[in-house]
Amino acid sequence: MELMGSTLTSTYTRPKTGHFLPAISTSAASYRNNQSALAVNPSVSLWRSNNFYQSSDAAPALSCVPRENLDLVRAKTMFYPSNRTVLTTRYSPDDWYKSNQNNYRQSESSRKSAERLRKDTIRLIQDKNQLTRRTQETSSKNIGERLNSIVFWKSELSHEIDNMVTEITALAEVKRRLERALAETEGPFQVSQECLYHREKRMSIDLVHDDVERSLIKEVEVIRSCQERMKRVLDKAAAQLASNRGVQHELEKDMSDKAAAQRIDDRCHHLRNTSDGIGFYRGIERLDPSLSLPESWSRFTDDNILRSQSERAASQKLRDEMEILMNTTCGEMWNQFNTVNVAFSNRTSETADAKNSLQTHLAKTLQEIFQTEMLIESLKKAIREKECPLKVAQTRLEERTRRPNVELCRDNPHHSLVSEVMEIEDTIYKLRERLVEAENTLQTLLKTKVALEHDLSIKANSLFLDQEKCMSIRKSFPSMPRLVGYT
């Protein structure tokens, strides 16, 4: 029979002895009741041959033997295994052989399984060691490449910072020159105004709105226009300097961050398995959504450099504009200065013929006053006409602010309305500026009209004012190097 699992052991109704076969008892009680053993242990199934049962049937029943003869019967019927024709056993030799073979096969299978597990484990350990080493080498290589990228961007940032510092210095120098040039225009401006004030002292009909006065007014306008342009460009230069310094700050901050990152990555690149300071940091490998990506990292520095280059280009363009402006304003003021001087000379020679030309100038002055007034009315009407479109645009914007939740969107209508409001406000602002200029011109024309009507009779006073008062102070006009800010 084939055994499954562990080998079964024999179970006997009596205690075991030191012999291989069960001991033969001489007690008659063991033969009195053959069912007692089954009653003690029901799981025992005695294997008996047919001959055994046949011989047992022929044996006399012990119950019929008298009690006094029990000892004699027990002595004469000693039980030995050699007296039995069949041994009482549970397994055959074939079962024993099969059990041994099964144990051999199970042992060999267990050893082969253990050997296979051992070899697979050794191979797994070697593979994982190689994988870990390759992964670590890849990580070190990536960190080294990252260091190269950081060094490259640091060099680009350093070069750009140097260029930006040079540009800031150059722009600041041109700005100081322009400030000096603006300060130099105050003298000619005061001289031109003083000449106008002196000529206002002309008496009677000599107080005429002549070429000298127009030239002086134009000179004042030219100088004022030059000053306004200089101030606007100075404001742009100040804003550009602030932008340049802001870009420089961003570049230096990025440079500082990259220097810190380089130190950290360099330290990480030199870390080995035997290095000090390494330890476990559980959960550090979890993804942090706030971290930047390589594309955004390089794009951030590239955007900073592009912004710096753009600001430097704008700064260089502004410096060129400032140079051109200083040269242009210097030429305009000098041309107008010469024009005014020529007008004074002509005016002196025309004093004798002034009376004949006074009426013509007066008529021109009156016509100019009328046209200026018409211009003022046109400007006021134009300003009034712009109020309703401005109200409509602003009302639309205000109504659209009541859109609920996500509908409150900066869509194309919003941008167009904002542009419309800004455009109309800019138009109104320019019209009001022009209105102020027109009103100032009107006032000047009125003063000239009064001068033409009342002060033409005193020519001597006019000659004194033109030659002695005006021409004497106009000799202090600044030189061209001073007007361009070099001195």
Side-chain angles (χ1 to χ4, degrees):
M1 59 180 292
E2 183 177 358
L3 301 178
M4 302 299 293
S6 61
T7 305
L8 294 175
T9 59
S10 300
T11 304
Y12 301 94
T13 58
R14 292 188 299 174
K16 294 181 181 181
T17 61
H19 301 284
F20 177 76
L21 294 176
I24 299 176
S25 177
T26 57
S27 174
S30 61
Y31 298 98
R32 290 175 184 172
N33 189 3
N34 293 331
Q35 300 298 325
S36 61
L38 296 176
V40 174
N41 190 354
S43 63
V44 176
S45 60
L46 296 179
W47 183 20
R48 300 290 185 267
S49 62
N50 293 329
N51 294 330
F52 176 81
Y53 291 106
Q54 290 174 2
S55 62
S56 63
D57 294 336
L62 296 179
S63 58
C64 61
V65 180
R67 183 175 297 275
E68 59 272 9
N69 297 327
L70 285 178
D71 293 336
L72 180 61
V73 173
R74 190 178 295 115
K76 289 181 178 182
T77 59
M78 290 294 293
F79 180 77
Y80 293 99
S82 60
N83 294 334
R84 292 183 295 168
T85 60
V86 178
L87 293 176
T88 304
T89 57
R90 304 184 67 183
Y91 301 102
S92 66
D94 188 35
D95 294 335
W96 177 83
Y97 176 77
K98 290 181 179 180
S99 175
N100 292 335
Q101 293 299 322
N102 186 40
N103 289 335
Y104 301 156
R105 286 194 300 271
Q106 185 177 1
S107 174
E108 185 177 359
S109 175
S110 299
R111 284 186 287 104
K112 288 182 179 180
S113 177
E115 183 180 2
R116 184 169 55 252
L117 176 62
R118 176 168 49 83
K119 292 181 179 179
D120 291 344
T121 303
I122 292 173
R123 185 168 55 254
L124 176 64
I125 292 173
Q126 293 175 352
D127 292 343
K128 293 305 178 181
N129 287 338
Q130 293 178 1
L131 178 61
T132 301
R133 184 169 57 255
R134 287 196 300 269
T135 304
Q136 191 178 66
E137 290 174 355
T138 303
S139 299
S140 299
K141 180 181 177 182
N142 292 335
I143 294 176
E145 293 175 355
R146 180 69 169 186
L147 282 172
N148 293 333
S149 300
I150 293 175
V151 170
F152 168 75
W153 285 115
K154 276 185 63 180
S155 63
E156 293 293 324
L157 287 172
S158 177
H159 179 69
E160 189 60 33
I161 289 173
D162 293 339
N163 292 337
M164 180 56 71
V165 170
T166 303
E167 181 60 32
I168 289 174
T169 303
L171 182 60
E173 178 60 28
V174 177
K175 181 174 177 290
R176 284 192 293 270
R177 283 180 49 204
L178 185 59
E179 290 174 347
R180 289 195 295 265
L182 177 61
E184 289 294 335
T185 60
E186 288 296 327
F189 183 75
Q190 295 295 331
V191 168
S192 299
Q193 286 187 330
E194 191 172 352
C195 289
L196 286 174
Y197 292 150
H198 282 312
R199 286 179 62 80
E200 291 297 323
K201 296 178 182 178
R202 290 173 297 172
M203 299 176 62
S204 188
I205 200 170
D206 276 358
L207 192 61
V208 62
H209 185 61
D210 53 5
D211 292 337
V212 176
E213 187 168 351
R214 284 195 293 271
S215 298
L216 286 172
I217 293 173
K218 186 176 180 180
E219 185 177 30
V220 172
E221 292 177 353
V222 168
I223 296 175
R224 184 183 289 115
S225 175
C226 292
Q227 289 178 343
E228 290 176 355
R229 283 183 289 171
M230 288 180 178
K231 290 177 181 178
R232 286 197 299 268
V233 174
L234 280 175
D235 293 339
K236 291 172 62 178
Q240 186 64 48
L241 276 175
S243 298
N244 290 350
R245 292 191 176 99
V247 170
Q248 180 187 0
H249 174 72
E250 292 296 329
L251 292 175
E252 290 175 349
K253 184 176 181 296
D254 196 2
M255 184 77 170
S256 175
D257 292 344
K258 282 185 170 44
Q262 183 182 6
R263 289 193 300 270
I264 294 173
D265 283 349
D266 185 68
R267 187 166 59 251
C268 292
H269 188 257
H270 288 86
L271 280 179
R272 297 294 181 268
N273 295 333
T274 58
S275 300
D276 296 334
I278 59 176
F280 292 104
Y281 298 91
R282 301 298 183 187
I284 194 66
E285 69 279 0
R286 287 196 294 266
L287 179 63
D288 188 356
S290 64
L291 298 179
S292 62
L293 299 176
E295 294 79 8
S296 61
W297 174 79
S298 57
R299 186 169 59 251
F300 176 77
T301 303
D302 189 44
D303 290 344
N304 286 338
I305 293 176
L306 290 178
R307 180 188 171 194
S308 175
Q309 292 175 350
S310 176
E311 292 295 338
R312 281 197 298 110
S315 179
Q316 292 174 359
K317 182 179 179 180
L318 181 60
R319 283 196 293 112
D320 296 338
E321 181 181 351
M322 294 167 71
E323 292 284 354
I324 295 173
L325 177 63
M326 286 186 287
N327 294 327
T328 302
T329 54
C330 177
E332 289 178 358
M333 287 188 289
W334 263 102
N335 291 335
Q336 189 61 31
F337 172 75
N338 294 328
T339 301
V340 172
N341 290 341
V342 171
F344 268 110
S345 299
N346 294 333
R347 181 60 182 166
T348 301
S349 62
E350 292 174 355
T351 302
D353 300 330
K355 189 174 182 179
N356 295 328
S357 61
L358 286 178
Q359 296 299 327
T360 303
H361 287 293
L362 181 60
K364 292 181 180 180
T365 302
L366 292 175
Q367 182 65 26
E368 190 67 25
I369 291 173
F370 173 76
Q371 292 178 355
T372 305
E373 290 177 348
M374 294 296 295
L375 177 62
I376 291 173
E377 292 298 326
S378 299
L379 289 172
K380 291 180 179 180
K381 181 179 178 182
I383 292 173
R384 288 194 301 270
E385 290 175 351
K386 296 296 182 296
E387 292 177 355
C388 291
L390 180 61
K391 291 178 181 179
V392 171
Q394 290 181 347
T395 303
R396 287 174 175 175
L397 279 176
E398 197 277 333
E399 287 292 332
R400 285 173 62 84
T401 58
R402 297 189 178 93
R403 291 175 295 171
N405 299 326
V406 75
E407 296 299 327
L408 190 60
C409 175
R410 289 184 294 180
D411 49 7
N412 290 332
H414 177 81
H415 292 301
S416 65
L417 288 173
V418 172
S419 300
E420 182 182 0
V421 170
M422 294 176 64
E423 180 181 352
I424 295 174
E425 290 178 348
D426 183 66
T427 302
I428 294 175
Y429 176 75
K430 291 182 178 178
L431 291 175
R432 286 177 178 173
E433 281 188 343
R434 193 55 57 87
L435 178 61
V436 172
E437 293 179 3
E439 290 176 349
N440 291 336
T441 304
L442 179 61
Q443 293 299 321
T444 303
L445 291 174
L446 291 175
K447 290 180 181 180
T448 304
K449 170 180 171 294
V450 172
L452 290 174
E453 289 176 350
H454 294 88
D455 298 331
L456 290 177
S457 60
I458 306 178
K459 301 295 184 293
N461 184 45
S462 299
L463 291 174
F464 174 77
L465 293 174
D466 291 343
Q467 293 179 351
E468 300 297 332
K469 293 292 185 180
C470 296
M471 295 303 295
S472 61
I473 63 176
R474 293 184 63 82
K475 295 178 182 180
S476 61
F477 197 84
S479 62
M480 293 189 67
R482 293 175 60 186
L483 287 177
V484 295
Y486 282 112
T487 56

